[in-house]
Amino acid sequence: MTAPDGRSAEGRGELNRSRLHHYAPWVFVLVLALLPLAFPDPYMLAVLTSAGIFIIGAISLNLLLGYTGQLSLGHVAFFGLGAYTSALASLGFDIGIGFGLRITLQPQPVWLGFIAAIIVAGGFGWLLGRLAFRVRGAYFVIITICFAQVLRMVALNWIELTQGPMALISIPPFSMWLPGQGVVPLYSKAQNYWLVLAVAVLAFIVVRQLVESRIGRALVALRANESLARSVGIRVTHYLVIAAVISAGIAGAAGSLFAHYIRIIDPDVFLFIYTVTMVIMVITGGKGTLWGPVVGGLIFGLVPDLLRGHARPEAQWVLYGVAMILFVMFLPRGIVPALASLRRRA
């Protein structure tokens, strides 16, 4: 049957679904933005802020793991680099480099530290990409793990710069210019939550634009069949390095947010468990999908804290592990691909 506007019922239904698909993400972001107004509980906002920071990290890891098929188990290196770079830039430092020479940096505005974190992490992403993407499989994984451990040892032993195990303390929070108030430090939980949400949305948009571009199509081709991609003229290392730089830069931004939110940083920021957390978020949510890290991050970022008031610590980890096993067994492709498959069948 044809409607008065000339479209069939199926065509109108497809148009409505297309509009829903277009506007749904922005509605979701709006709901998240309004949460602090509807539920101003500081603990809940702190949990959501921490989860949001690691979701940004998971979004960055998904660009490598999901779209290039390269498993980086040292991704926390870029997270930690961003944290230390931003903290040191905002605190300032004075270190000797030998031969009677010293490098001195006066404390800089936090936003400059944030930009520096992205640049430094991206630069190391380029360096690691140029070296590590010459190998594949287990060799690449080992290189990334070693890279993270080397940075952790540097942070632990370069006491003059990083304070070693004593940690960098009194890291200033982010600040923002507000009309009629001037530059205001973002101390409250709600303010930090909105800041993390804004950076997460920006990171999502950057990855989406990259994935939908010619570069993204080349990355997907490399993941599907690297030999075939080479045969049609795709420069493998070139595109993989681009993905590594952007992925590392986004992870560095997440590390900067973490440093200025927690306001104390020590070498434990390079711990392997943080990479594992990001990998879990990507795998359970659905690697190679834009929404996978977000969905997986919300679930596994919030579940531990939701269990905290209802189970003993040892039981929490058991339930957490069982949940991950069940997800992998029954939803091997992840939550988002499974939901997409159900929607198509419906």
Side-chain angles (χ1 to χ4, degrees), residues 8-290:
S8 65
E10 292 80 2
R12 290 174 64 87
E14 185 64 30
L15 178 62
N16 290 333
R17 284 192 293 271
S18 177
R19 288 175 176 173
L20 179 63
H21 180 75
H22 177 74
Y23 290 111
W26 298 110
V27 173
F28 178 66
V29 170
L30 179 61
V31 170
L32 290 178
L34 294 176
L35 272 180
L37 302 179
F39 304 99
D41 179 55
Y43 176 75
M44 185 195 73
L45 292 178
V47 171
L48 286 171
T49 302
S50 298
I53 291 173
F54 282 97
I55 286 174
I56 297 171
I59 289 173
S60 70
L61 178 60
N62 186 45
L63 186 57
L64 283 180
L65 176 59
Y67 289 99
T68 71
Q70 303 298 316
L71 175 59
S72 170
L73 289 184
H75 204 66
V76 72
F78 307 116
F79 183 85
L81 271 172
Y84 267 103
T85 299
S86 192
L88 288 169
S90 60
L91 290 171
F93 57 84
D94 181 15
I95 59 171
I97 58 174
F99 304 103
L101 300 176
R102 303 192 67 82
I103 296 178
T104 301
L105 178 69
Q106 298 301 320
Q108 302 296 314
V110 174
W111 286 104
L112 287 180
F114 178 75
I115 295 172
I118 296 173
I119 294 173
V120 170
F124 273 89
W126 177 85
L127 179 62
L128 183 64
R130 296 294 299 178
L131 297 175
F133 284 136
R134 298 179 183 274
V135 297
R136 296 288 188 274
Y139 299 102
F140 176 78
V141 174
I142 292 172
I143 289 175
T144 58
I145 293 174
C146 292
F147 177 62
Q149 289 303 310
V150 167
L151 288 181
R152 183 173 185 272
M153 295 306 297
V154 170
L156 186 64
N157 292 284
W158 198 353
I159 295 177
E160 185 181 14
L161 178 65
T162 66
Q163 302 302 313
M166 294 180 290
L168 292 173
I169 61 175
S170 301
I171 301 172
F174 276 91
S175 57
M176 182 177 295
W177 182 86
L178 297 176
Q181 302 182 46
V183 178
V184 178
L186 304 182
Y187 285 112
S188 76
K189 301 296 184 184
Q191 290 170 336
N192 280 281
Y193 170 84
W194 281 318
L195 174 63
V196 170
L197 178 61
V199 176
V201 171
L202 182 59
F204 181 91
I205 292 173
V206 168
V207 172
R208 185 187 65 183
Q209 293 299 111
L210 179 69
V211 168
E212 294 177 353
S213 70
R214 180 173 58 87
I215 296 175
R217 291 191 293 272
L219 294 177
V220 173
L222 292 174
R223 181 190 63 187
N225 192 322
E226 183 175 322
S227 299
L228 181 60
R230 286 181 183 273
S231 69
V232 297
I234 294 178
R235 294 179 294 169
V236 174
T237 303
H238 173 74
Y239 286 110
L240 289 178
V241 169
I242 290 176
V245 169
I246 296 175
S247 175
I250 295 174
S256 175
L257 291 172
F258 184 78
H260 294 284
Y261 176 62
I262 302 298
R263 302 188 64 199
I264 179 171
I265 290 295
D266 64 19
D268 284 349
V269 75
F270 292 102
L271 285 178
F272 184 65
I273 187 62
Y274 291 139
T275 292
V276 173
T277 300
M278 297 177 199
V279 172
I280 289 172
M281 291 177 175
V282 172
I283 297 295
T284 56
K287 65 177 183 177
T289 64
L290 289 171

